[in-house]
Amino acid sequence: MYFFYINMNNLIDTIKKIENILYSLERILKQECHNLLKSKTSNEEILELIKRKKILFKKLIILSQDRLCLEKEYNIFPPYESNNKLNNYWKKIINTCLILRKLNLKNKIIMNKKFYLNQRFLELSSSYKKSVTYNLDGNLEI
């Protein structure tokens, strides 16, 4: 029984770490949204956020694999209804994942709008520069 309790603590610790990583991802996505909304954001800032997200996703994948191994070994699976402590942590994780999904969608929409506006500006700018004029010899120039 003591052995099972220790391993249950390992599972609880793993789920807590997953929860912390998800909260960190939430903060990064909010910061990314803020940076995308600013008119003057350097590419370095956004690239740094992307690097941090990649690192966190790698950690999340490793922890999720550990969680799956522990669940399989001790035959306990989400939503952990038999254990209140695990169930509460799991509900927090689900809620955080839903928030992350909304933030990610919002960031994608902002990026697409910015890209579209920048692309449209470049198209208008290039058509503005292309003007038809006559040179000194009377021939058309583009």
Side-chain angles (χ1 to χ4, degrees):
M1 185 67 179
Y2 178 72
F3 182 71
F4 181 75
Y5 180 73
I6 290 173
N7 288 314
M8 190 62 90
N9 280 338
N10 287 340
L11 182 60
I12 290 171
D13 290 340
T14 303
I15 290 178
K16 283 181 184 179
K17 289 177 186 176
I18 290 172
E19 183 182 14
N20 289 336
I21 287 175
L22 292 175
Y23 283 134
S24 297
L25 280 170
E26 182 181 355
R27 283 195 308 271
I28 289 173
L29 285 174
K30 285 180 180 179
Q31 188 177 2
E32 185 179 60
C33 180
H34 177 71
N35 285 344
L36 288 171
L37 289 173
K38 288 192 315 189
S39 61
K40 295 183 181 181
T41 301
S42 69
N43 289 340
E44 291 87 25
E45 291 176 22
I46 294 177
L47 290 175
E48 180 62 32
L49 291 174
I50 291 171
K51 285 180 190 177
R52 289 175 34 203
K53 280 196 307 189
K54 282 183 181 180
I55 292 169
L56 288 174
F57 277 122
K58 286 179 183 178
K59 289 180 182 179
L60 183 64
I61 289 170
I62 292 168
L63 286 171
S64 293
Q65 290 171 348
D66 291 345
R67 178 186 59 86
L68 289 174
C69 288
L70 289 169
E71 288 173 351
K72 192 174 187 179
E73 185 175 341
Y74 298 104
N75 201 21
I76 184 168
F77 301 100
Y80 309 115
E81 292 177 356
S82 61
N83 188 319
N84 288 335
K85 197 172 193 180
L86 281 174
N87 191 10
N88 290 335
Y89 285 123
W90 191 249
K91 285 179 183 179
K92 289 178 186 178
I93 286 174
I94 297 297
N95 289 335
T96 306
C97 287
L98 292 173
I99 291 169
L100 289 175
R101 178 194 257 175
K102 289 178 185 177
L103 284 171
N104 191 39
L105 180 63
K106 182 179 177 181
N107 288 347
K108 282 183 180 182
I109 290 170
I110 293 169
M111 265 195 266
N112 286 337
K113 284 182 180 179
K114 272 192 152 186
F115 178 74
Y116 175 77
L117 290 175
N118 287 341
Q119 190 65 30
R120 185 71 181 136
F121 174 75
L122 290 174
E123 289 171 5
L124 289 175
S125 177
S126 65
S127 66
Y128 175 73
K129 288 180 182 177
K130 291 180 185 176
S131 57
V132 178
T133 58
Y134 290 98
N135 62 12
L136 294 175
D137 298 330
N139 298 326
L140 285 175
E141 270 187 359
I142 296 178

